[in-house]
Amino acid sequence: MKKMSNIYESAANTLGIFNSPCLTKVELRVACKGISDRDALSKPDPCVILKMQSHGQWFEVDRTEVIRTCINPVFSKLFTVDFYFEEVQRLRFEVHDISSNHNGLKEADFLGGIECTLGQIVSQRKLSKSLLKHGNTAGKSSITVIAEELSGNDDYVELSFSARKLDDKDFFSKSDPFLEIFRVNDDATQQLVHRTEVVMNNLNPAWKTFKVSVNSLCSGDQDRRLKCIVWDWDSNGKHDFIGEFSSTFKEMRGAMEGRQVQWECINPKYKAKKKNYKNSGIVILNQCKIHKMHSFLDYIMGGCQIQFTVAIDFTASNGDPRNSCSLHYIHPYQPNEYLKALVAVGEICQDYDSDKMFPAFGFGARIPPEYKVSHDFAINFNEDNPECAGIQGVVEAYQSCLPKLQLYGPTNIAPIIQKVAKSASEETNTKEASQYFILLILTDGVITDMADTREAIVHASHLPMSVIIVGVGNADFSDMQMLDGDDGILRSPKGEPVLRDIVQFVPFRNFKHASPAALAKSVLAEVPNQVVDYYNGKGIKPKCVSEYESSRTLAP
């Protein structure tokens, strides 16, 4: 146990990198007004893309759903972002018209955007700005962003609604119903919480189960009024009102343990006019499940170990290690880029690993004794035990193996991803949050087995592992950005999408003159969320509830 408590101490010290002071999660809701389309005959199909600036570059964080034929869209999907009080976090909201036959941005019409900082939105709570297109205002169009801090309760709720005998609003077919749920705020304003999909031509629809945070649903107040409206969808965007009802989260919780809750869906106009009007249908909540959200600290302090593996590129493009121009040149007084990146990232990861033993591999070299090319050899040349003692052990193994290798090629990284995935796959059999794997790949160039690598990453996205790639040197790394699923979704060659975004790519040159901590922070920033997403998504709780977690558990 002594060893574990040391981990907590060192983890608590380095957590500064993961949890900058005041890490608060903020939910952003977006709505637009008056967006015009270049095609005057049709209304746009808008979608808002949120981008965040990091080291001068914009990266996509998330995007809303697409709302068909709408000039004043109120989006149902929330953006959840981490707010760091001490950092200027630049955001860009872009509105695009996404044509129905293509969900990418290639054909999408850019309708306008705004730039601001997260601090501005948080301090004003509600920020409205005119949309700009190429520096000019885009007609009379505007965007409104509302910020809400997530209180300590990160739990989310899963709801499953259906309806029966809804009013028929269509002459030639049945209604096409969808349901909207609004939270009624203290100032009596209404905030859209969720909009279901449309079920076509059906007066007895069963809508898909959806998840929403308890905070978003009722701001943590179980008695807060929720207003629910059923609409009949119309392709021209003018949806017909079917009926409405009110509820509370407290009432919805009645649909736990297999029970149902029902409401009469009422159209007030019909109720006032028609004598024997009963209702416009019945809405049924078939299930309400509450999921406890655990944090990164809950898992670490519950005994989850971070298993850190290093893979180093020994292809010929690095240059002859004996030559001072080589990226692998061992300078007597200062470390090369490979060593700088290894130490910066490794020193943080080692705080979360109790045995401090790290497997270290090389790829793209001919290795003794037969000098055959290998893409996953142990740099200590001990295939049965590739582990090195501490980051220092990795550094020493790297320095002593260099003279014995013949740098070669090609740059294949799929084998090493598959090797770590094999260990991560064995870990899944335990059904516990005991080991999470991080593979750090240091490479100088564009990889040659892109199809196999994409396949390997899609497979690995189902496992407790993350891949960090640091690009060393001055090569063109544009292909590598594709593996980091920030701008769109990475897919395998067969078209299978990644289950979660597990790759982080960073060019070392962006940090040449920055501190090692800046590199580590950028590279490791996504890891805590990746760990949490994996275990929460699988419904795996921390192994043992730590004192930390029990101190922050909210009463039901």
Side-chain angles (χ1 to χ4, degrees), residues 292 294 299 431-433 535-536 538-544:
K292 177 102 194 84
H294 299 283
Y299 286 106
K431 305 273 191 293
E432 281 190 338
Y535 290 121
N536 275 327
K538 286 266 189 287
I540 298 174
K541 297 182 166 80
K543 280 204 316 187
C544 54

Side-chain angles (χ1 to χ4, degrees), residues 299 302-305 424-437 463-464 531 534-536 538-544:
Y299 286 106
C304 181
Q305 298 284 305
S425 172
E426 287 160 11
E427 168 62 20
T428 57
N429 300 331
T430 66
K431 305 273 191 293
E432 281 190 338
S434 44
Q435 295 189 73
Y436 189 92
F437 294 78
L463 302 171
V531 171
Y534 174 78
Y535 290 121
N536 275 327
K538 286 266 189 287
I540 298 174
K541 297 182 166 80
K543 280 204 316 187
C544 54

Side-chain angles (χ1 to χ4, degrees), residues 10 15 26 64 123 142 183 185 203 215 249 263 284 288 312 314 321 342 348-349 354 363 480 507 541 553:
S10 52
L15 256 175
V26 174
T64 64
S123 61
S142 66
R183 182 184 80 210
N185 295 323
L203 301 179
N215 197 74
F249 179 40
W263 297 269
I284 304 137
C288 168
I312 300 171
F314 289 108
L342 165 67
I348 284 171
C349 289
S354 59
F363 58 91
M480 299 299 234
K541 297 182 166 80
T553 304

Side-chain angles (χ1 to χ4, degrees), residues 60-334:
E60 177 174 331
V61 178
D62 207 348
R63 56 177 70 183
T64 64
E65 75 277 20
V66 177
I67 297 183
R68 300 283 170 219
T69 53
C70 189
I71 55 172
N72 301 317
V74 177
F75 296 96
S76 166
K77 180 166 163 53
L78 296 169
F79 295 130
T80 306
V81 290
D82 292 336
F83 172 57
Y84 297 92
F85 175 69
E86 75 288 3
E87 285 180 24
V88 175
Q89 292 168 275
R90 296 203 64 78
L91 305 181
R92 178 189 280 172
F93 295 86
E94 294 180 358
V95 186
H96 290 264
D97 179 12
I98 310 266
S99 56
S100 50
N101 57 355
H102 190 287
N103 251 358
L105 289 185
K106 302 285 181 283
E107 297 168 30
D109 245 358
F110 174 61
L111 301 175
I114 63 160
E115 284 182 24
C116 60
T117 67
L118 186 53
Q120 285 169 328
I121 305 172
V122 169
S123 61
Q124 295 178 32
R125 306 288 300 251
K126 181 175 181 177
L127 179 78
S128 291
K129 282 183 133 182
S130 296
L131 286 172
L132 296 178
K133 192 171 180 180
H134 313 310
N136 304 314
T137 51
K140 291 183 177 167
S141 55
S142 66
I143 186 166
T144 300
V145 185
I146 296 174
E148 189 169 21
E149 185 182 325
L150 271 173
S151 56
N153 187 348
D154 295 341
D155 299 351
Y156 64 93
V157 59
E158 202 173 298
L159 300 169
S160 177
F161 283 93
S162 62
R164 65 169 189 265
K165 296 186 178 167
L166 293 174
D167 283 358
D168 196 350
K169 294 287 185 183
D170 294 348
F171 290 118
F172 301 111
S173 62
K174 299 189 177 94
S175 295
D176 308 315
F178 67 94
L179 171 69
E180 287 186 329
I181 300 173
F182 294 86
R183 182 184 80 210
V184 180
N185 295 323
D186 296 338
D187 60 1
T189 56
Q190 295 179 8
Q191 188 67 64
L192 178 67
V193 173
H194 183 76
R195 180 188 293 120
T196 67
E197 78 286 5
V198 176
V199 176
M200 300 299 283
N201 198 21
N202 194 332
L203 301 179
N204 303 297
W207 290 290
K208 284 181 188 157
T209 303
F210 62 90
K211 290 175 185 169
V212 60
S213 72
V214 171
N215 197 74
S216 173
L217 183 66
C218 62
S219 309
D221 171 6
Q222 297 193 25
D223 296 310
R224 181 177 295 282
R225 193 162 83 88
L226 303 172
K227 185 174 176 181
C228 308
I229 305 178
V230 181
W231 299 91
D232 168 30
W233 179 82
D234 243 321
S235 57
N236 65 6
K238 293 176 180 168
H239 311 305
D240 298 317
F241 175 78
I242 292 179
E244 63 186 25
F245 62 92
S246 287
S247 182
T248 61
F249 179 40
K250 193 174 198 173
E251 188 179 16
M252 287 181 177
R253 288 182 70 154
M256 290 165 79
E257 286 103 40
R259 295 192 297 274
Q260 286 184 337
V261 182
Q262 300 189 0
W263 297 269
E264 284 190 294
C265 191
I266 302 294
N267 182 329
K269 276 188 186 169
Y270 290 0
K271 193 174 183 182
K273 282 183 187 169
K274 297 181 180 178
K275 260 189 182 166
N276 46 7
Y277 172 78
K278 280 176 76 176
N279 58 49
S280 294
I282 304 285
V283 175
I284 304 137
L285 177 58
N286 299 295
Q287 78 159 15
C288 168
K289 273 189 194 164
I290 296 173
H291 296 267
K292 177 102 194 84
M293 288 298 276
H294 299 283
S295 72
F296 178 62
L297 272 180
D298 291 339
Y299 286 106
I300 292 296
M301 294 185 166
C304 181
Q305 298 284 305
I306 299 286
Q307 297 293 343
F308 182 61
T309 302
V310 186
I312 300 171
D313 179 338
F314 289 108
T315 53
S317 52
N318 283 283
D320 184 338
R322 291 166 299 194
N323 184 328
S324 63
C325 300
S326 167
L327 292 166
H328 279 305
Y329 179 64
I330 303 294
H331 192 282
Y333 302 116
Q334 63 181 50

